[in-house]
Amino acid sequence: QVQLVESGGGLVQPGGSLRLSCAASGSIFVINAMAWYRQVLGKQRELVAAITRDGRTNYADFVKGRFTISRDNAENTAYLQMNSLKPEDTAVYYCNAELRIRSWSANSAYWGQGTQVTVSS
């Protein structure tokens, strides 16, 4: 069984910073890509940032220059450093991991439970 647990969300003023963490645990052979998505009530979940196992990153245009994704392969953990936060960044942020639970198994996608980020004065 695989679990992804996010932490680090909360309330922050516009212009402030937060750092989200996503720790994966359980029966894991290897984690390939990890990513952060966000969702506002009534809207589709959207990709924020993604990172491959070897560190290649991809960002949505609306966070480029403000957010940084990173990961620690030894700890099966991903991070999202969010700077210069805006009210429109308010959403539930979800961690996603594409991983294999055995050397012979196919990639499967797993999701965390989400963490609320609220940007407001």
Side-chain angles (χ1 to χ4, degrees):
Q1 193 172 359
V2 175
Q3 276 192 318
L4 300 182
V5 179
E6 299 107 332
S7 60
L11 173 64
V12 64
Q13 291 188 340
S17 298
L18 282 175
R19 189 190 195 211
L20 305 183
S21 298
C22 169
S25 62
S27 179
I28 298 171
F29 175 72
V30 66
I31 300 178
N32 294 309
M34 298 188 79
W36 289 94
Y37 287 74
R38 69 186 189 187
Q39 187 169 24
V40 176
L41 194 62
K43 293 190 176 182
Q44 281 193 325
R45 193 171 295 188
E46 58 184 0
L47 176 68
V48 175
I51 185 167
T52 63
R53 183 165 181 80
D54 59 0
R56 287 172 289 151
T57 58
N58 180 43
Y59 294 94
D61 286 343
F62 52 78
V63 301
K64 281 182 181 176
R66 299 190 298 126
F67 292 9
T68 302
I69 188 171
S70 60
R71 64 188 285 178
D72 182 334
N73 290 333
E75 298 293 329
N76 285 341
T77 301
Y79 304 95
L80 186 67
Q81 178 67 43
M82 305 186 294
N83 299 328
S84 303
L85 282 160
K86 305 175 182 180
E88 51 263 44
D89 293 319
T90 296
V92 177
Y93 283 71
Y94 295 91
C95 178
N96 169 274
E98 291 189 359
L99 59 89
R100 290 186 283 158
I101 60 172
R102 297 286 185 271
S103 61
W104 59 85
S105 58
N107 264 342
S108 295
Y110 291 82
W111 292 91
Q113 81 288 351
T115 184
Q116 177 70 46
V117 171
T118 302
V119 185
S120 175
S121 55

